[in-house]
Amino acid sequence: MYYGYSPEQEQFREVLARFLTERAPISAVRAQMASDRGHDPALWRALAEDLGLTGVHLPERCGGQGFGFEELCIAQEELGRALTCAPFFATSVLASGALMELASEAEQDALLPALIAGERLAALAWMEEDGQVAADATTLGATRSGEAATLSGHKHYVIDGLAADLLLVVARDSADGALGLYAVNADSPGLTRRALATIDTTRRLAALEFDGCVARPLGAGRDFAAGFARLMDRATIALAAEMMGGARALLDQAVDYARLRMQFGRPIGAFQAIKHKLADLLLEVEVATAAVRYAAAAVDADDPEVPALASQAKAMAAEAYLKSAIDSIQIHGGIGFTWDHDSHLWFKRAKSSEVLLGDAAWHRERFLALTEAAA
Amino acid sequence: MSDIDIPALRAELRAWLAAHWQVDQGLVAWREKLVESGWGMPHWPREWHGRGLPVACVSALEEEFEAMGAVGVARAGIRLLAAATLLEHGTDAHKQRFLRRILTGEDTWCQLFSEPGSGSDLAGATTRAEFDGTRWVVNGQKLWTTSAHHADWGLLLARTDWDAPKHTGLSFFVIDMHQGGVEVQPLKQMNGHASFNQVFLTDALVPAENQVGNTGDGWKIAMTTLAHERRNADALRRWGQGSGRAGRIYDEERAEIATVMEPYRWYPQRTGRVDLLLPRARATGRIADPALRQDLASVLMLSRASEWLAQRARHAKENGKPEGPEGSLGKLVASHVARAAARVHTAIGGMDAMLAGADGAEQGLVAEILLSVPATSIAGGTDEIQRNIIGERVLDLPREPRTDAGPFRDIPRNPPRGR
């Protein structure tokens, strides 16, 4: 069974939370939302160098900290709570995770250290315009010639695709149709990148066009399908953890406001209409958090149920985060609908997280199919 | 705790059991031995049928009982709540008179707290007890009284001062249920079972010596009783499974359990029986319906996650951490699970959801689920009360202004309920 955090994990969480409160308060989030780059390189360096966050779950031989997946999820939860604008999910969860699951050890040794050191940013490009989560839908073609390959086609919804120095691209071998992971430098000729306009400007998306781009095939001899499935399950749980951090921030803000906001001669939190709404919200957030933390611990325990647990975590996190965002704005009343009030920043992240890596309905269906198969 | 040698205690109990336990003896005779030795309630004080051991020893000693197959003291129903209340607030005369027969199972108890007019607001009780110079005369009506129909004694909460504020005008009594002024009627529920009773008190008498605590202390004492209720519920669940072993004493224990557990036969159904959803959806072929699959997945997820939440709460408590919000959320989440499960059971059943008994799905079990689930969000504190508790004690939101201060006499209340 998986229980709460150990004292060491709790301490790690507190250190990170304090760091983010000081270095990346909501005013900094607003500044980065409006910036071209979308994140603060100085903050990223500090996260990498001072806290070692970029390699918290990655092997020590590559410069990582060698902790478990639970620690990665603690980091995600805190970054989600603070709504930190940083390429952590793209570089440290998706791209580094892809290298761990799909690349050879030598390729990991060659590529991971710069990512962990905070010197380079990376993005995983696998979805195309149809937005399918599964790699099977890939149409982008790779033409092999000896050790290299050229890529032609489109990728869409690439998280931090514009900021990345290194692109890890899922492509289909035009000779045998096999799926594989390919490394492309961002400055490669034939690569065109375009920022997509997004609701949530704390999470940047890009569309990529490859026109005969030179790429390096990765992971010879590794089982792509199994590795990619593991990668997606882990990324899904990590995203759910980030979402629960955000949901908790919204809940806390709504509770604080309900204690202070006076109407009809009393704090609005004294009215059952508000009190009960908040009690229900706490329930939803706590239950979803239990599901997400259970799933995170299950990854470290190599639990065969991880695929179903990942879907459960994401489906519950999606509902809980969106409810937190809607209810928090509702409890704040008119001020909650204004640009200057912060609730909408989390609302937008909740929206973008709701559909990213599969929406709740998709995950419920997947959960049930996996549960049926196991029963 | 550190100076308690558990292995030595276990060995001592094992030796005692080896010398005294035998299958071919009467239940009461055996329990007399448990009471005299103190092994039946090892954490009770030495002078009151215990051995004065810390509560933490109890589970180890219970294991010795289980290993030997030895029957324990009577635990069913309200009796241990009564015992705990009397141990804490009773006089030596109360303890002398009642505790022993509680443990041997000779006396059965019930709890006369709730009333038709005071449910969530338990302190609003209007059953009155008036002292006539030698004894208390009680008039009023109690409700939701489990086991009242075969109880020998009742724990009674009654109003003794109508000019005092609500919580301080109550007093606590032990009432003899075998008297003309006490009339017990079963209360039939919407699911057809009658697990509870209503108790009419008409000039019922309580001798002065059967008052517990001082006049006006009733609410405080009732809180002691209720605080033991949850722990007792856990113990009861274990005990209620009984034993499949053969022998006179086991037969007597099984008969005792059957009598006490009869009102609870439908209890599993009020949880919504999530365990039956997937098998039923498959058996009926309804599992192919995409809309049903969504709802089914939701309830399975909620049920699993709420179990993990409860585990975290238990784990934190066992490790001496302050209980987090998980504990107080358990009751509310159980209501959500039960309701969601009932909805899916209905969807799986389709037209069959209209049928009951032998014509209904699973020989009427599904109908019983549908008609029992509404109890979950009411019994033991309604969902609305749970939300108040969560809002005020967990989220630290301000309380609502009170409108029930001042003399109880002046507080608006429900009209008396007829028969």
Side-chain angles (χ1 to χ4, degrees):
Chain A
M1 282 306 118
Y2 317 119
Y3 298 115
Y5 292 145
S6 69
E8 294 77 19
Q9 289 174 325
E10 195 54 50
Q11 197 183 7
F12 166 56
R13 202 182 71 79
E14 277 166 27
V15 167
L16 178 56
R18 236 189 344 264
F19 177 90
L20 293 174
T21 306
E22 282 167 21
R23 294 289 305 270
I26 202 68
S27 55
V29 172
R30 282 181 178 267
Q32 291 311 320
M33 279 166 52
S35 74
D36 285 342
R37 195 194 305 264
H39 76 274
D40 172 8
L43 176 71
W44 184 247
R45 257 195 316 279
L47 287 172
E49 290 169 11
D50 301 350
L51 295 180
L53 205 65
T54 43
V56 63
H57 60 305
L58 296 170
E60 286 166 277
R61 62 164 220 276
C62 299
Q65 308 268 330
F67 288 111
F69 188 77
E70 267 191 290
E71 281 75 14
L72 176 69
C73 286
I74 291 170
Q76 278 285 96
E77 210 174 307
E78 290 311 312
L79 292 165
R81 184 195 311 267
L83 212 58
T84 309
C85 293
F88 189 81
F89 189 64
T91 296
S92 307
V93 177
L94 285 171
S96 298
L99 290 172
M100 289 307 296
E101 299 297 341
L102 298 168
S104 71
E105 215 169 286
E107 290 156 357
Q108 291 164 5
D109 290 346
L111 295 171
L112 275 176
L115 303 184
I116 293 173
E119 292 157 8
R120 296 184 88 195
L121 300 178
L124 178 68
W126 85 100
M127 281 185 281
E128 301 186 355
E129 282 192 43
D130 63 4
Q132 294 284 308
V133 181
D136 299 352
T138 299
T139 64
L140 187 138
T143 308
R144 301 283 282 258
S145 60
E147 292 298 297
T150 53
L151 303 183
S152 290
H154 299 268
K155 288 289 171 186
H156 219 63
Y157 309 112
V158 182
I159 302 166
D160 289 329
L162 216 55
D165 305 298
L166 169 69
L167 295 159
L168 301 175
V169 184
V170 175
R172 192 178 287 285
D173 191 317
S174 25
D176 60 9
L179 291 171
L181 189 69
Y182 296 81
V184 177
N185 284 325
D187 55 6
S188 293
L191 171 63
T192 312
R193 300 191 282 180
R194 178 174 75 84
L196 294 168
T198 52
I199 280 186
D200 171 20
T201 47
T202 67
R203 174 143 46 221
R204 302 295 172 95
L205 299 176
L208 310 184
E209 194 183 329
F210 298 83
D211 184 10
C213 268
V214 175
R216 179 146 65 99
L218 300 176
R222 293 201 68 170
D223 179 344
F224 179 87
F228 192 81
R230 267 198 311 277
L231 169 65
M232 282 297 119
D233 284 334
R234 283 162 167 69
T236 300
I237 295 166
L239 175 62
E242 178 198 295
M243 294 165 77
M244 292 324 299
R248 179 70 59 167
L250 286 161
L251 171 66
D252 291 347
Q253 290 160 21
V255 168
D256 285 346
Y257 190 72
R259 287 194 197 121
L260 298 174
R261 170 73 173 174
M262 302 294 286
Q263 291 288 278
F264 305 102
R266 67 179 87 155
I268 60 169
F271 291 103
Q272 289 191 339
I274 301 295
K275 184 178 291 173
H276 288 190
K277 192 188 275 292
L278 285 167
D280 285 336
L281 186 55
L282 175 71
L283 179 82
E284 186 133 353
V285 170
E286 283 290 339
V287 172
T289 299
V292 174
R293 291 189 181 172
Y294 191 95
V299 169
D300 282 331
D302 252 332
D303 191 322
E305 257 208 285
V306 163
L309 291 167
S311 279
Q312 171 168 6
K314 179 66 186 359
M316 298 189 86
E319 302 277 353
Y321 200 2
L322 195 67
K323 182 175 166 66
S324 302
I326 291 169
D327 286 356
S328 183
I329 288 179
Q330 181 68 25
I331 287 166
H332 280 89
I335 199 74
F337 191 64
T338 62
W339 187 268
D340 283 348
H341 191 267
D342 294 328
S343 285
H344 72 99
L345 307 183
W346 278 275
F347 182 96
K348 289 165 182 172
R349 180 68 77 83
K351 264 290 158 212
S352 84
S353 308
E354 192 186 347
V355 292
L356 183 59
L357 303 185
D359 66 11
W362 188 84
H363 279 291
R364 280 192 289 266
E365 174 53 43
R366 181 171 179 265
F367 165 86
L368 193 66
L370 291 165
T371 303
E372 274 185 276
Chain B
M1 182 61 211
S2 54
D3 53 343
I4 300 286
D5 183 350
I6 297 227
L9 267 181
R10 277 178 178 266
E12 194 185 347
L13 172 58
R14 209 155 41 230
W16 187 86
L17 285 172
H20 295 90
W21 167 248
Q22 58 193 65
V23 174
D24 191 25
Q25 61 182 325
L27 191 56
V28 172
W30 161 243
R31 283 174 174 162
E32 294 278 3
K33 292 178 200 162
L34 288 175
V35 168
E36 273 150 36
S37 66
W39 285 117
M41 278 289 165
H43 57 297
W44 280 17
R46 283 189 171 276
E47 60 272 37
W48 299 114
H49 322 309
R51 298 182 74 85
L53 294 169
V55 178
C57 302
V58 171
S59 62
L61 297 177
E62 276 175 1
E63 281 171 24
E64 293 300 327
F65 272 82
E66 279 161 31
M68 193 74 83
V71 171
V73 292
R75 294 174 190 281
I78 300 299
R79 57 161 53 85
L80 285 190
L81 306 187
T85 307
L86 293 174
L87 268 178
E88 192 164 333
H89 298 286
T91 61
D92 282 359
H94 292 144
K95 294 172 193 169
Q96 189 77 46
R97 179 161 177 205
F98 296 117
L99 292 181
R100 186 181 185 95
R101 288 173 65 86
I102 285 177
L103 297 181
T104 60
E106 288 164 283
D107 285 349
T108 304
W109 288 65
C110 65
Q111 177 180 292
L112 302 163
F113 287 3
S114 297
E115 298 183 6
S118 59
S120 296
D121 183 15
L122 192 61
T126 57
T127 289
R128 57 175 69 227
E130 287 156 320
F131 197 60
D132 72 356
T134 51
R135 50 204 184 159
W136 295 90
V137 182
V138 183
N139 283 283
Q141 187 182 346
K142 293 288 178 178
L143 202 63
W144 305 117
T145 318
T146 315
S147 302
H149 55 295
H150 56 77
D152 301 295
W153 299 99
L155 296 175
L156 172 70
L157 185 66
R159 189 159 303 279
T160 46
D161 184 349
W162 293 69
D163 295 312
K166 187 165 77 173
H167 292 82
T168 54
L170 297 165
S171 299
F172 202 94
F173 305 91
V174 171
I175 186 169
D176 183 350
M177 296 295 284
H178 303 296
Q179 59 172 305
V182 176
E183 189 193 335
V184 179
Q185 285 182 3
L187 184 65
K188 193 171 175 182
Q189 301 135 206
M190 65 176 275
N191 62 2
H193 291 272
S195 315
F196 309 97
N197 299 282
Q198 39 192 345
V199 178
F200 299 94
L201 301 160
T202 312
D203 291 333
L205 301 177
V206 177
E209 68 265 23
N210 280 9
Q211 183 176 358
V212 182
N214 295 319
T215 302
D217 284 350
W219 180 251
K220 192 181 73 192
I221 299 170
M223 287 298 99
T224 307
T225 313
L226 294 178
H228 283 88
E229 197 162 342
R230 179 166 290 267
R231 209 168 62 197
N232 194 53
D234 289 343
L236 195 64
R237 203 168 306 124
R238 278 203 307 277
W239 169 87
Q241 285 152 12
S243 153
R245 295 187 173 92
R248 174 183 166 192
I249 195 164
Y250 294 127
D251 293 340
E252 286 186 30
E253 192 196 26
R254 266 191 296 275
E256 180 184 61
I257 292 173
T259 308
V260 175
M261 295 311 278
E262 162 32 66
Y264 304 107
R265 255 189 314 129
W266 58 280
Y267 268 33
Q269 277 62 270
R270 68 181 186 170
T271 65
R273 293 301 300 270
V274 173
D275 59 311
L276 296 179
L277 290 173
L278 188 57
R280 283 196 68 228
R282 280 180 149 167
T284 57
R286 292 282 288 134
I287 189 114
D289 180 334
L292 183 114
R293 293 177 67 81
Q294 288 287 314
D295 291 344
L296 176 55
S298 286
V299 65
L300 293 179
M301 288 178 184
L302 185 62
S303 170
R304 279 157 45 114
S306 67
E307 181 51 36
W308 299 332
L309 193 66
Q311 279 169 8
R312 264 172 57 202
R314 275 200 296 276
H315 184 73
K317 210 169 155 191
E318 281 162 14
N319 285 277
K321 290 185 192 159
E323 195 172 348
E326 298 94 343
S328 45
L329 292 165
K331 174 86 174 57
L332 189 55
V333 76
S335 296
H336 289 297
V337 171
R339 269 206 206 105
R343 205 160 45 235
V344 177
H345 271 302
T346 307
I348 292 170
M351 289 295 281
D352 270 1
M354 294 196 293
L355 304 180
D359 289 323
E362 312 278 333
Q363 284 78 48
L365 187 68
V366 173
E368 188 165 280
I369 293 169
L370 302 182
L371 298 179
S372 299
V373 160
T376 301
S377 47
I378 299 170
T382 64
D383 279 8
E384 288 68 30
I385 292 290
Q386 300 307 319
R387 290 187 179 102
N388 279 349
I389 292 171
I390 294 165
E392 289 165 14
R393 298 191 201 156
V394 181
L395 297 177
D396 201 22
L397 292 168
R399 289 172 179 277
E400 278 190 290
R402 293 207 79 126
T403 56
D404 57 356
F408 183 76
R409 191 183 293 287
D410 302 333
I411 297 170
R413 54 180 179 271
N414 297 300
R417 184 165 168 270
R419 295 207 179 188

